[in-house]
Amino acid sequence: MIALARTRPIALRLALAFGAGVALASGQAPFGLWWLALPALAALIGIVAGAATRRQAALLALFGGAGHFAAALSWIVEPFLIDAETYGWMAPFALVLISFGLALFWALAGWLAHLGAGWRRPIAFATALGAAELARGYLLTGFPWALIGHIWVGAWPAQVASLIGPSGLTLLTTLAAALPIAGRGRGLGLSAALLAAMAGFGLWRLSLPEPLPAGPVLRIVQPNAEQRMKWDPDLAATHFSRLLTLTSDGPRPDLVIWPETSVPYLLDRAPGLLSEIAAAGRGAPVIAGIQRGEGWRFWNSLVVVGPAGEIAGLYDKHHLAPFGEYVPMGDLMFEFFGLRAFAAQEGFGYSAGPGPQVLDLGPGLGKVLPLICYEAVFPQDLRTAERPDWILQITNDAWFGTFNGPYQHLAQTRLRAIEQGLPLVRSANTGISALVDARGRVLSDLPLGEAGYKDVALPGAFPATPFSRLGELPVLAALLALAALLVATRRPRGA
């Protein structure tokens, strides 16, 4: 396959690499076609490994990555279409920029892989690609969306994330795809054995006895306020009334959960707001997504409203989306150059909270780790000194459209539950709201585009997983070991 790749014109190979990347994206939600994504990844590895020069290898990997991200992250155009007359022209530029921008990580992996030769090159590319995917989850605030390892969400191998997280799952996947390219028949056998081991572990973990249920009944509220009308002042009272009705309807649960920024008023500037929420709760605490301000600073927050209308808990989102919620270095530009238009401290964007926080909701409800929207895509944001009893994500996925974005966001939250061995509750403005157990299985959900609520019993938790204790350390050790192996087996020049 490597020899065949070298004989094709470079333009054709670039097109093939881009197409392989698009096919690789079929493994992402909502499709989950891992059986198509894995051969596509193997094809891309073969194309890159067959490059004649390091520059060609980097270019082929760049186009492969761009194809993958263009298909997987096509939802990135949706925020620009909310007000299409004003911002619609930016949509194609945003898609091209993010696709080729993220693909630069893959291009570096392709360049590094060309340092090897023979069977080492596909293995080197698989190793470097695993390292690149790990790096893009951390560098420049990180963006670990559409990781290669995400193709397994919903399949047995996803349970391996409880051991080594999504980056480890990605590395095993790239190696499984590279082995047949590196070793033909023998490599195919090793690849099959690796995939069988991943699936076998997953099947075993899924067969474990169910943990004891936690007990409380939670109400997940989904108001379905469309993004283009969500902040219309004339509709604010209507949207708020819908939340109150969905909260007060039916039997009283132990806790009510509203989605991100569901309250259309500022926490500190709406007298009587908390009393109305508490009255709708009928004695049950209500967790609500709300914005709050102090002077010219504003936060994207979660508030726990107690039965008497008091603030029983507060969390400010700390991992903000760059350019969506704040401008990077905006405050510094204001301090040093007086550029006020980019500064969060001057009211242009959100300010970041202090960091991850576990909220104690008292006996019965236990301790919860809150995540607001985008924070759920970062496994490192769930590692806290104190282990919670469950995870809560409130989000507004109306920004992501209705095709693939909301489904991919849900898939990543399912992986967080597996990694931590904890149940997860998700309340989304327009959907998909869901109850996820400690194995990442969706037990109950509210589909996209529907207003309503679900009363669900909180499942139990598993003991702390290896990944929750060790984080990325095993993956880093594996990457170093593979790099050492490739260097140790490299042939000296002239040999």
Side-chain angles (χ1 to χ4, degrees):
M1 187 172 187
I2 294 176
L4 182 63
R6 291 196 184 105
T7 63
R8 304 295 185 186
I10 184 62
L12 177 59
R13 281 183 281 158
L14 290 173
L16 290 173
F18 190 89
V22 171
L24 172 57
S26 68
Q28 303 291 328
F31 307 107
L33 305 180
W34 62 264
W35 46 266
L36 175 60
L38 197 62
L41 178 59
L44 177 60
I45 291 172
I47 292 169
V48 173
T53 65
R54 293 178 191 173
R55 181 180 177 183
Q56 276 192 15
L59 195 59
L60 290 165
L62 177 72
F63 271 72
H68 170 69
F69 292 119
L73 303 180
S74 59
W75 56 263
I76 203 70
V77 305
E78 295 292 343
F80 301 95
L81 302 180
I82 299 297
D83 184 1
E85 290 185 4
T86 305
Y87 302 108
W89 65 272
M90 298 181 183
F93 296 100
L95 183 59
V96 171
L97 181 62
I98 196 169
S99 299
F100 279 91
L102 293 176
L104 289 172
F105 286 95
W106 291 28
L108 177 60
W111 187 88
L112 290 171
H114 206 273
L115 298 175
W119 66 267
R120 299 166 192 79
R121 191 171 292 177
I123 299 300
F125 183 48
T127 303
L129 192 54
E133 291 286 83
L134 173 61
R136 76 176 175 93
Y138 288 86
L139 295 180
L140 302 175
T141 78
F143 189 67
W145 200 296
L147 291 176
I148 292 172
H150 290 169
I151 68 172
W152 300 114
V153 175
W156 294 343
Q159 302 298 318
V160 175
S162 65
L163 302 176
I164 52 178
S167 297
L169 200 57
T170 292
L171 179 60
L172 292 181
T173 306
T174 59
L175 289 172
L179 282 167
I181 308 300
R184 296 186 180 180
R186 181 180 296 179
L188 184 61
L190 290 173
S191 177
L194 176 56
L195 292 172
M198 294 166 64
F201 174 81
L203 185 59
W204 169 79
R205 190 170 188 266
L206 289 169
S207 69
L208 292 175
E210 294 290 334
L212 293 175
V217 174
L218 314 179
R219 173 166 296 184
I220 307 172
V221 174
Q222 182 171 297
N224 194 37
E226 292 184 36
Q227 192 59 40
R228 66 180 69 249
M229 298 185 294
K230 190 170 187 287
W231 298 113
D232 187 331
D234 297 330
L235 295 175
T238 301
H239 292 155
F240 187 57
S241 177
R242 185 185 304 168
L243 288 163
L244 295 176
T245 300
L246 292 171
T247 299
S248 61
D249 189 30
R252 185 180 73 85
D254 298 306
L255 175 69
V256 181
I257 303 166
W258 295 2
E260 177 191 18
T261 60
S262 53
V263 181
Y265 310 106
L266 286 172
L267 176 62
D268 52 327
R269 302 180 192 179
L273 177 72
L274 298 184
S275 297
E276 287 189 73
I277 295 174
R282 298 167 293 166
V286 177
I287 291 179
I290 192 169
Q291 298 173 100
R292 70 180 190 91
E294 293 180 7
W296 285 105
R297 280 197 179 275
F298 297 92
W299 288 265
N300 186 354
S301 303
L302 172 152
V303 64
V304 183
V305 182
E310 78 280 12
I311 296 178
L314 182 68
Y315 168 72
D316 296 322
K317 184 178 182 182
H318 74 278
H319 203 144
L320 303 175
F323 302 105
E325 293 180 306
Y326 79 107
V327 176
M329 297 186 292
D331 283 343
L332 288 177
M333 286 190 283
F334 173 68
E335 295 289 347
F336 288 98
F337 304 107
L339 296 177
R340 181 173 180 269
F342 303 112
Q345 62 183 295
E346 292 292 302
F348 296 93
Y350 290 123
S351 293
Q357 181 181 352
V358 175
L359 298 179
D360 190 345
L361 301 181
L365 293 173
K367 297 178 180 180
V368 62
L369 174 65
L371 305 168
I372 298 179
C373 190
Y374 182 67
E375 290 177 324
V377 309
F378 299 96
Q380 62 267 33
D381 286 352
L382 279 73
R383 298 191 66 208
T384 55
E386 181 181 20
R387 178 172 163 83
D389 299 308
W390 55 289
I391 304 166
L392 169 64
Q393 184 202 22
I394 62 171
T395 184
N396 177 27
D397 286 3
W399 287 108
F400 302 149
T402 58
F403 175 49
N404 54 1
Y407 295 96
Q408 291 173 7
H409 202 191
L410 172 62
Q412 292 175 84
T413 60
R414 294 176 64 184
L415 208 54
R416 301 296 87 83
I418 296 171
E419 294 158 8
Q420 298 296 322
L422 294 173
L424 185 147
V425 179
R426 186 175 201 263
S427 177
N429 171 32
T430 55
I432 307 163
S433 299
L435 173 69
V436 180
D437 72 4
R439 295 181 175 94
R441 298 176 298 188
V442 176
L443 303 183
S444 183
D445 69 340
L446 284 162
L448 278 173
E450 292 187 10
Y453 68 84
K454 277 284 182 78
D455 289 341
V456 297
L458 185 66
F462 282 124
T465 64
F467 180 74
S468 69
R469 296 193 300 266
L470 300 174
E472 310 286 9
L473 289 178
V475 180
L476 291 171
L479 288 170
L480 289 173
L482 286 166
L485 174 65
L486 291 166
V487 170
T489 57
R490 186 180 180 188
R491 295 176 183 174
R493 289 185 180 275

PDB file of all heavy atoms in Angstrom, residues 105 135-144 318-323 326-329 374 377-378 380-381:
ATOM      1  N   PHE A 105      -1.823  20.140  13.571  1.00  0.00           N
ATOM      2  CA  PHE A 105      -1.324  19.138  14.516  1.00  0.00           C
ATOM      3  C   PHE A 105      -1.021  17.835  13.786  1.00  0.00           C
ATOM      4  O   PHE A 105      -0.012  17.179  14.042  1.00  0.00           O
ATOM      5  CB  PHE A 105      -2.357  18.891  15.614  1.00  0.00           C
ATOM      6  CG  PHE A 105      -2.471  19.993  16.635  1.00  0.00           C
ATOM      7  CD1 PHE A 105      -3.422  20.973  16.498  1.00  0.00           C
ATOM      8  CD2 PHE A 105      -1.612  20.038  17.732  1.00  0.00           C
ATOM      9  CE1 PHE A 105      -3.540  21.994  17.435  1.00  0.00           C
ATOM     10  CE2 PHE A 105      -1.720  21.049  18.672  1.00  0.00           C
ATOM     11  CZ  PHE A 105      -2.685  22.034  18.527  1.00  0.00           C
ATOM     12  N   ALA A 135      -2.071  16.680  22.452  1.00  0.00           N
ATOM     13  CA  ALA A 135      -1.616  18.067  22.560  1.00  0.00           C
ATOM     14  C   ALA A 135      -2.736  19.056  22.259  1.00  0.00           C
ATOM     15  O   ALA A 135      -2.863  20.085  22.927  1.00  0.00           O
ATOM     16  CB  ALA A 135      -0.432  18.306  21.614  1.00  0.00           C
ATOM     17  N   ARG A 136      -3.574  18.759  21.266  1.00  0.00           N
ATOM     18  CA  ARG A 136      -4.601  19.741  20.922  1.00  0.00           C
ATOM     19  C   ARG A 136      -5.702  19.814  21.977  1.00  0.00           C
ATOM     20  O   ARG A 136      -6.545  20.710  21.944  1.00  0.00           O
ATOM     21  CB  ARG A 136      -5.163  19.491  19.530  1.00  0.00           C
ATOM     22  CG  ARG A 136      -6.129  18.346  19.361  1.00  0.00           C
ATOM     23  CD  ARG A 136      -6.631  18.338  17.906  1.00  0.00           C
ATOM     24  NE  ARG A 136      -7.475  17.181  17.625  1.00  0.00           N
ATOM     25  CZ  ARG A 136      -8.798  17.189  17.738  1.00  0.00           C
ATOM     26  NH1 ARG A 136      -9.421  18.272  18.151  1.00  0.00           N
ATOM     27  NH2 ARG A 136      -9.489  16.106  17.444  1.00  0.00           N
ATOM     28  N   GLY A 137      -5.698  18.892  22.928  1.00  0.00           N
ATOM     29  CA  GLY A 137      -6.622  18.993  24.044  1.00  0.00           C
ATOM     30  C   GLY A 137      -6.146  19.929  25.132  1.00  0.00           C
ATOM     31  O   GLY A 137      -6.910  20.239  26.057  1.00  0.00           O
ATOM     32  N   TYR A 138      -4.880  20.400  25.024  1.00  0.00           N
ATOM     33  CA  TYR A 138      -4.314  21.233  26.084  1.00  0.00           C
ATOM     34  C   TYR A 138      -3.759  22.562  25.574  1.00  0.00           C
ATOM     35  O   TYR A 138      -3.877  23.580  26.255  1.00  0.00           O
ATOM     36  CB  TYR A 138      -3.193  20.467  26.792  1.00  0.00           C
ATOM     37  CG  TYR A 138      -3.690  19.339  27.667  1.00  0.00           C
ATOM     38  CD1 TYR A 138      -3.928  18.077  27.153  1.00  0.00           C
ATOM     39  CD2 TYR A 138      -3.926  19.549  29.028  1.00  0.00           C
ATOM     40  CE1 TYR A 138      -4.382  17.040  27.955  1.00  0.00           C
ATOM     41  CE2 TYR A 138      -4.385  18.521  29.838  1.00  0.00           C
ATOM     42  CZ  TYR A 138      -4.608  17.271  29.295  1.00  0.00           C
ATOM     43  OH  TYR A 138      -5.066  16.260  30.097  1.00  0.00           O
ATOM     44  N   LEU A 139      -3.136  22.562  24.406  1.00  0.00           N
ATOM     45  CA  LEU A 139      -2.463  23.775  23.929  1.00  0.00           C
ATOM     46  C   LEU A 139      -3.472  24.871  23.553  1.00  0.00           C
ATOM     47  O   LEU A 139      -4.547  24.581  23.018  1.00  0.00           O
ATOM     48  CB  LEU A 139      -1.588  23.450  22.718  1.00  0.00           C
ATOM     49  CG  LEU A 139      -0.397  22.519  22.978  1.00  0.00           C
ATOM     50  CD1 LEU A 139       0.378  22.278  21.687  1.00  0.00           C
ATOM     51  CD2 LEU A 139       0.517  23.083  24.055  1.00  0.00           C
ATOM     52  N   LEU A 140      -3.123  26.114  23.842  1.00  0.00           N
ATOM     53  CA  LEU A 140      -3.959  27.274  23.489  1.00  0.00           C
ATOM     54  C   LEU A 140      -5.380  27.110  24.032  1.00  0.00           C
ATOM     55  O   LEU A 140      -6.361  27.322  23.325  1.00  0.00           O
ATOM     56  CB  LEU A 140      -3.972  27.477  21.974  1.00  0.00           C
ATOM     57  CG  LEU A 140      -2.599  27.688  21.308  1.00  0.00           C
ATOM     58  CD1 LEU A 140      -2.735  27.762  19.795  1.00  0.00           C
ATOM     59  CD2 LEU A 140      -1.925  28.934  21.850  1.00  0.00           C
ATOM     60  N   THR A 141      -5.474  26.731  25.279  1.00  0.00           N
ATOM     61  CA  THR A 141      -6.700  26.433  26.045  1.00  0.00           C
ATOM     62  C   THR A 141      -7.329  25.106  25.650  1.00  0.00           C
ATOM     63  O   THR A 141      -8.223  24.620  26.332  1.00  0.00           O
ATOM     64  CB  THR A 141      -7.778  27.541  25.964  1.00  0.00           C
ATOM     65  OG1 THR A 141      -8.470  27.480  24.726  1.00  0.00           O
ATOM     66  CG2 THR A 141      -7.173  28.925  26.145  1.00  0.00           C
ATOM     67  N   GLY A 142      -6.879  24.486  24.549  1.00  0.00           N
ATOM     68  CA  GLY A 142      -7.327  23.159  24.170  1.00  0.00           C
ATOM     69  C   GLY A 142      -8.621  23.133  23.379  1.00  0.00           C
ATOM     70  O   GLY A 142      -9.495  23.985  23.538  1.00  0.00           O
ATOM     71  N   PHE A 143      -8.725  22.109  22.510  1.00  0.00           N
ATOM     72  CA  PHE A 143      -9.966  21.854  21.783  1.00  0.00           C
ATOM     73  C   PHE A 143      -9.998  20.371  21.395  1.00  0.00           C
ATOM     74  O   PHE A 143      -9.770  20.001  20.243  1.00  0.00           O
ATOM     75  CB  PHE A 143     -10.077  22.739  20.541  1.00  0.00           C
ATOM     76  CG  PHE A 143     -11.437  22.667  19.896  1.00  0.00           C
ATOM     77  CD1 PHE A 143     -12.552  23.170  20.542  1.00  0.00           C
ATOM     78  CD2 PHE A 143     -11.598  22.099  18.639  1.00  0.00           C
ATOM     79  CE1 PHE A 143     -13.812  23.103  19.955  1.00  0.00           C
ATOM     80  CE2 PHE A 143     -12.850  22.026  18.036  1.00  0.00           C
ATOM     81  CZ  PHE A 143     -13.952  22.531  18.698  1.00  0.00           C
ATOM     82  N   PRO A 144     -10.285  19.486  22.370  1.00  0.00           N
ATOM     83  CA  PRO A 144     -10.258  18.045  22.102  1.00  0.00           C
ATOM     84  C   PRO A 144     -11.558  17.506  21.534  1.00  0.00           C
ATOM     85  O   PRO A 144     -12.021  16.425  21.902  1.00  0.00           O
ATOM     86  CB  PRO A 144      -9.976  17.462  23.492  1.00  0.00           C
ATOM     87  CG  PRO A 144     -10.662  18.405  24.425  1.00  0.00           C
ATOM     88  CD  PRO A 144     -10.515  19.775  23.798  1.00  0.00           C
ATOM     89  N   HIS A 318     -15.337  28.332  34.355  1.00  0.00           N
ATOM     90  CA  HIS A 318     -13.934  28.770  34.346  1.00  0.00           C
ATOM     91  C   HIS A 318     -13.224  28.476  33.032  1.00  0.00           C
ATOM     92  O   HIS A 318     -12.249  29.133  32.691  1.00  0.00           O
ATOM     93  CB  HIS A 318     -13.161  28.117  35.495  1.00  0.00           C
ATOM     94  CG  HIS A 318     -12.867  26.659  35.273  1.00  0.00           C
ATOM     95  ND1 HIS A 318     -13.794  25.668  35.531  1.00  0.00           N
ATOM     96  CD2 HIS A 318     -11.765  26.030  34.816  1.00  0.00           C
ATOM     97  CE1 HIS A 318     -13.266  24.491  35.241  1.00  0.00           C
ATOM     98  NE2 HIS A 318     -12.051  24.676  34.802  1.00  0.00           N
ATOM     99  N   HIS A 319     -13.665  27.461  32.283  1.00  0.00           N
ATOM    100  CA  HIS A 319     -13.021  27.122  31.006  1.00  0.00           C
ATOM    101  C   HIS A 319     -13.884  27.700  29.889  1.00  0.00           C
ATOM    102  O   HIS A 319     -14.809  27.061  29.399  1.00  0.00           O
ATOM    103  CB  HIS A 319     -12.877  25.608  30.862  1.00  0.00           C
ATOM    104  CG  HIS A 319     -11.780  25.220  29.919  1.00  0.00           C
ATOM    105  ND1 HIS A 319     -10.973  24.119  30.118  1.00  0.00           N
ATOM    106  CD2 HIS A 319     -11.324  25.794  28.776  1.00  0.00           C
ATOM    107  CE1 HIS A 319     -10.087  24.025  29.137  1.00  0.00           C
ATOM    108  NE2 HIS A 319     -10.301  25.035  28.302  1.00  0.00           N
ATOM    109  N   LEU A 320     -13.566  28.917  29.503  1.00  0.00           N
ATOM    110  CA  LEU A 320     -14.381  29.651  28.542  1.00  0.00           C
ATOM    111  C   LEU A 320     -13.960  29.349  27.106  1.00  0.00           C
ATOM    112  O   LEU A 320     -12.801  29.020  26.837  1.00  0.00           O
ATOM    113  CB  LEU A 320     -14.265  31.157  28.802  1.00  0.00           C
ATOM    114  CG  LEU A 320     -14.636  31.633  30.211  1.00  0.00           C
ATOM    115  CD1 LEU A 320     -14.359  33.127  30.348  1.00  0.00           C
ATOM    116  CD2 LEU A 320     -16.086  31.316  30.531  1.00  0.00           C
ATOM    117  N   ALA A 321     -14.914  29.480  26.194  1.00  0.00           N
ATOM    118  CA  ALA A 321     -14.633  29.266  24.773  1.00  0.00           C
ATOM    119  C   ALA A 321     -13.988  30.522  24.192  1.00  0.00           C
ATOM    120  O   ALA A 321     -14.607  31.590  24.191  1.00  0.00           O
ATOM    121  CB  ALA A 321     -15.921  28.953  24.026  1.00  0.00           C
ATOM    122  N   PRO A 322     -12.743  30.423  23.696  1.00  0.00           N
ATOM    123  CA  PRO A 322     -12.095  31.607  23.125  1.00  0.00           C
ATOM    124  C   PRO A 322     -12.843  32.145  21.919  1.00  0.00           C
ATOM    125  O   PRO A 322     -13.328  31.384  21.085  1.00  0.00           O
ATOM    126  CB  PRO A 322     -10.694  31.090  22.747  1.00  0.00           C
ATOM    127  CG  PRO A 322     -10.827  29.606  22.650  1.00  0.00           C
ATOM    128  CD  PRO A 322     -11.896  29.223  23.611  1.00  0.00           C
ATOM    129  N   PHE A 323     -12.975  33.469  21.872  1.00  0.00           N
ATOM    130  CA  PHE A 323     -13.665  34.210  20.827  1.00  0.00           C
ATOM    131  C   PHE A 323     -15.184  34.043  20.880  1.00  0.00           C
ATOM    132  O   PHE A 323     -15.908  34.877  20.353  1.00  0.00           O
ATOM    133  CB  PHE A 323     -13.146  33.843  19.421  1.00  0.00           C
ATOM    134  CG  PHE A 323     -11.681  34.089  19.255  1.00  0.00           C
ATOM    135  CD1 PHE A 323     -10.778  33.035  19.242  1.00  0.00           C
ATOM    136  CD2 PHE A 323     -11.192  35.380  19.143  1.00  0.00           C
ATOM    137  CE1 PHE A 323      -9.421  33.263  19.105  1.00  0.00           C
ATOM    138  CE2 PHE A 323      -9.838  35.610  19.002  1.00  0.00           C
ATOM    139  CZ  PHE A 323      -8.939  34.552  18.986  1.00  0.00           C
ATOM    140  N   TYR A 326     -14.994  34.977  25.279  1.00  0.00           N
ATOM    141  CA  TYR A 326     -14.016  36.003  25.636  1.00  0.00           C
ATOM    142  C   TYR A 326     -12.990  36.107  24.522  1.00  0.00           C
ATOM    143  O   TYR A 326     -12.881  35.205  23.666  1.00  0.00           O
ATOM    144  CB  TYR A 326     -13.325  35.664  26.964  1.00  0.00           C
ATOM    145  CG  TYR A 326     -12.223  34.621  26.830  1.00  0.00           C
ATOM    146  CD1 TYR A 326     -10.878  34.975  26.928  1.00  0.00           C
ATOM    147  CD2 TYR A 326     -12.530  33.280  26.570  1.00  0.00           C
ATOM    148  CE1 TYR A 326      -9.874  34.033  26.794  1.00  0.00           C
ATOM    149  CE2 TYR A 326     -11.531  32.334  26.441  1.00  0.00           C
ATOM    150  CZ  TYR A 326     -10.212  32.710  26.551  1.00  0.00           C
ATOM    151  OH  TYR A 326      -9.208  31.775  26.406  1.00  0.00           O
ATOM    152  N   VAL A 327     -12.248  37.196  24.511  1.00  0.00           N
ATOM    153  CA  VAL A 327     -11.152  37.378  23.559  1.00  0.00           C
ATOM    154  C   VAL A 327      -9.844  37.089  24.292  1.00  0.00           C
ATOM    155  O   VAL A 327      -9.559  37.720  25.313  1.00  0.00           O
ATOM    156  CB  VAL A 327     -11.131  38.807  22.991  1.00  0.00           C
ATOM    157  CG1 VAL A 327      -9.927  39.017  22.084  1.00  0.00           C
ATOM    158  CG2 VAL A 327     -12.422  39.095  22.228  1.00  0.00           C
ATOM    159  N   PRO A 328      -9.066  36.115  23.831  1.00  0.00           N
ATOM    160  CA  PRO A 328      -7.796  35.817  24.506  1.00  0.00           C
ATOM    161  C   PRO A 328      -6.929  37.064  24.647  1.00  0.00           C
ATOM    162  O   PRO A 328      -6.785  37.847  23.707  1.00  0.00           O
ATOM    163  CB  PRO A 328      -7.141  34.779  23.578  1.00  0.00           C
ATOM    164  CG  PRO A 328      -8.292  34.127  22.885  1.00  0.00           C
ATOM    165  CD  PRO A 328      -9.319  35.205  22.692  1.00  0.00           C
ATOM    166  N   MET A 329      -6.374  37.219  25.844  1.00  0.00           N
ATOM    167  CA  MET A 329      -5.504  38.350  26.187  1.00  0.00           C
ATOM    168  C   MET A 329      -6.217  39.698  26.091  1.00  0.00           C
ATOM    169  O   MET A 329      -5.579  40.737  26.012  1.00  0.00           O
ATOM    170  CB  MET A 329      -4.231  38.347  25.322  1.00  0.00           C
ATOM    171  CG  MET A 329      -3.356  37.130  25.516  1.00  0.00           C
ATOM    172  SD  MET A 329      -1.780  37.223  24.633  1.00  0.00           S
ATOM    173  CE  MET A 329      -2.348  37.125  22.941  1.00  0.00           C
ATOM    174  N   TYR A 374     -19.280  23.846  27.327  1.00  0.00           N
ATOM    175  CA  TYR A 374     -17.988  23.508  26.725  1.00  0.00           C
ATOM    176  C   TYR A 374     -17.040  22.795  27.683  1.00  0.00           C
ATOM    177  O   TYR A 374     -16.157  22.053  27.254  1.00  0.00           O
ATOM    178  CB  TYR A 374     -17.412  24.837  26.246  1.00  0.00           C
ATOM    179  CG  TYR A 374     -16.098  24.862  25.528  1.00  0.00           C
ATOM    180  CD1 TYR A 374     -15.952  24.289  24.266  1.00  0.00           C
ATOM    181  CD2 TYR A 374     -15.016  25.534  26.082  1.00  0.00           C
ATOM    182  CE1 TYR A 374     -14.744  24.375  23.592  1.00  0.00           C
ATOM    183  CE2 TYR A 374     -13.808  25.629  25.413  1.00  0.00           C
ATOM    184  CZ  TYR A 374     -13.680  25.045  24.161  1.00  0.00           C
ATOM    185  OH  TYR A 374     -12.489  25.141  23.495  1.00  0.00           O
ATOM    186  N   VAL A 377     -16.086  18.909  27.491  1.00  0.00           N
ATOM    187  CA  VAL A 377     -15.241  18.273  26.479  1.00  0.00           C
ATOM    188  C   VAL A 377     -13.806  18.102  26.977  1.00  0.00           C
ATOM    189  O   VAL A 377     -12.975  17.517  26.277  1.00  0.00           O
ATOM    190  CB  VAL A 377     -15.244  19.050  25.142  1.00  0.00           C
ATOM    191  CG1 VAL A 377     -16.666  19.326  24.698  1.00  0.00           C
ATOM    192  CG2 VAL A 377     -14.445  20.333  25.209  1.00  0.00           C
ATOM    193  N   PHE A 378     -13.510  18.588  28.186  1.00  0.00           N
ATOM    194  CA  PHE A 378     -12.149  18.541  28.717  1.00  0.00           C
ATOM    195  C   PHE A 378     -12.072  17.565  29.883  1.00  0.00           C
ATOM    196  O   PHE A 378     -12.518  17.884  30.990  1.00  0.00           O
ATOM    197  CB  PHE A 378     -11.705  19.927  29.194  1.00  0.00           C
ATOM    198  CG  PHE A 378     -11.677  20.960  28.106  1.00  0.00           C
ATOM    199  CD1 PHE A 378     -12.750  21.812  27.909  1.00  0.00           C
ATOM    200  CD2 PHE A 378     -10.578  21.067  27.267  1.00  0.00           C
ATOM    201  CE1 PHE A 378     -12.734  22.758  26.908  1.00  0.00           C
ATOM    202  CE2 PHE A 378     -10.553  22.006  26.248  1.00  0.00           C
ATOM    203  CZ  PHE A 378     -11.634  22.858  26.065  1.00  0.00           C
ATOM    204  N   GLN A 380      -9.655  16.815  31.713  1.00  0.00           N
ATOM    205  CA  GLN A 380      -8.838  17.340  32.812  1.00  0.00           C
ATOM    206  C   GLN A 380      -9.644  18.230  33.747  1.00  0.00           C
ATOM    207  O   GLN A 380      -9.271  18.418  34.910  1.00  0.00           O
ATOM    208  CB  GLN A 380      -7.618  18.100  32.277  1.00  0.00           C
ATOM    209  CG  GLN A 380      -7.912  19.327  31.426  1.00  0.00           C
ATOM    210  CD  GLN A 380      -7.964  19.030  29.944  1.00  0.00           C
ATOM    211  OE1 GLN A 380      -8.371  17.942  29.551  1.00  0.00           O
ATOM    212  NE2 GLN A 380      -7.542  19.982  29.109  1.00  0.00           N
ATOM    213  N   ASP A 381     -10.767  18.780  33.266  1.00  0.00           N
ATOM    214  CA  ASP A 381     -11.575  19.659  34.108  1.00  0.00           C
ATOM    215  C   ASP A 381     -12.411  18.888  35.118  1.00  0.00           C
ATOM    216  O   ASP A 381     -13.084  19.484  35.955  1.00  0.00           O
ATOM    217  CB  ASP A 381     -12.493  20.525  33.238  1.00  0.00           C
ATOM    218  CG  ASP A 381     -11.731  21.637  32.530  1.00  0.00           C
ATOM    219  OD1 ASP A 381     -10.541  21.818  32.832  1.00  0.00           O
ATOM    220  OD2 ASP A 381     -12.324  22.314  31.670  1.00  0.00           O
TER     221      ASP A 381
END
